[in-house]
């Protein structure tokens, strides 16, 4: 897990989020509301497909507009099997880690690849790559 993940505020623009992604060298940022609760995850792909590809102005679109109805997360106390099940069943490559309602980090597919045996990583990659 990468601790101390930074959020983009739901009211910040997609352009601001893209700049922060560039500064941090990341491909995704959690979206947090004014109540400091996780609203979703904004990815570089979301920006390209949902904003640029749709002809929208990234300086006018708010990050919160791209938030999912319910963010897929993993609890700070959940085990590796739950992590793998959640990533596979939702076909996500990054999972925000929450403790209660507070964001404490993000687990990315790269974290999984470094920490688990090749077989488990291969199985997860197969699921994520299908469709």
């Amino acid at each position: 897990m990468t601790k101390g993940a930074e959020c983009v505020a739901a009211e910040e623009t997609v352009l601001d989020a893209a700049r922060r992604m560039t500064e941090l060298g990341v491909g995704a940022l959690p979206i947090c509301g004014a109540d400091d609760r996780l609203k979703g995850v904004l990815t570089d792909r979301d920006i390209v497909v949902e904003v640029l590809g749709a002809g929208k102005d990234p300086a006018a679109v708010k990050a919160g507009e791209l938030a999912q109805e319910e963010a897929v997360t993993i609890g700070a106390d959940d085990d590796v099997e739950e992590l793998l099940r959640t990533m596979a069943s939702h076909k996500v490559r990054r999972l925000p880690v929450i403790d209660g309602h507070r964001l404490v980090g993000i687990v990315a597919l790269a974290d999984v690849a470094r920490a688990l045996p090749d077989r488990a990583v291969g199985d997860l990659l197969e699921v994520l790559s299908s469709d």
Side-chain angles (χ1 to χ4, degrees):
M1 171 178 90
T2 301
K3 294 181 180 180
E6 287 193 28
C7 281
V8 60
E11 293 304 314
E12 288 185 82
T13 68
V14 169
L15 182 59
D16 293 331
R19 287 181 177 142
R20 185 156 327 126
M21 285 181 189
T22 300
E23 290 167 8
L24 297 171
V26 298
L29 286 172
I31 303 169
C32 295
D35 58 0
D36 210 26
R37 289 182 182 243
L38 184 68
K39 304 297 183 192
V41 175
L42 178 66
T43 67
D44 47 9
R45 185 178 191 285
D46 294 332
I47 294 170
V48 170
V49 174
E50 302 294 328
V51 179
L52 299 176
K56 297 177 184 175
D57 179 2
V61 176
K62 303 293 184 197
E65 294 175 40
L66 300 179
Q68 304 83 358
E69 287 187 22
E70 185 174 333
V72 178
T73 64
I74 191 83
D77 294 332
D78 289 343
D79 61 22
V80 172
E81 288 78 23
E82 181 64 22
L83 168 74
L84 294 173
R85 272 193 301 276
T86 303
M87 287 182 114
S89 67
H90 292 279
K91 293 197 174 200
V92 294
R93 296 172 186 266
R94 300 171 188 98
L95 273 178
V97 180
I98 58 170
D99 187 0
H101 294 288
R102 191 174 57 88
L103 179 71
V104 295
I106 292 187
V107 175
L109 186 57
D111 299 322
V112 174
R114 283 190 294 269
L116 295 179
D118 292 345
R119 171 82 181 174
V121 174
D123 291 347
L124 179 58
L125 278 172
E126 184 176 337
V127 170
L128 293 178
S129 299
S130 65
D131 257 359

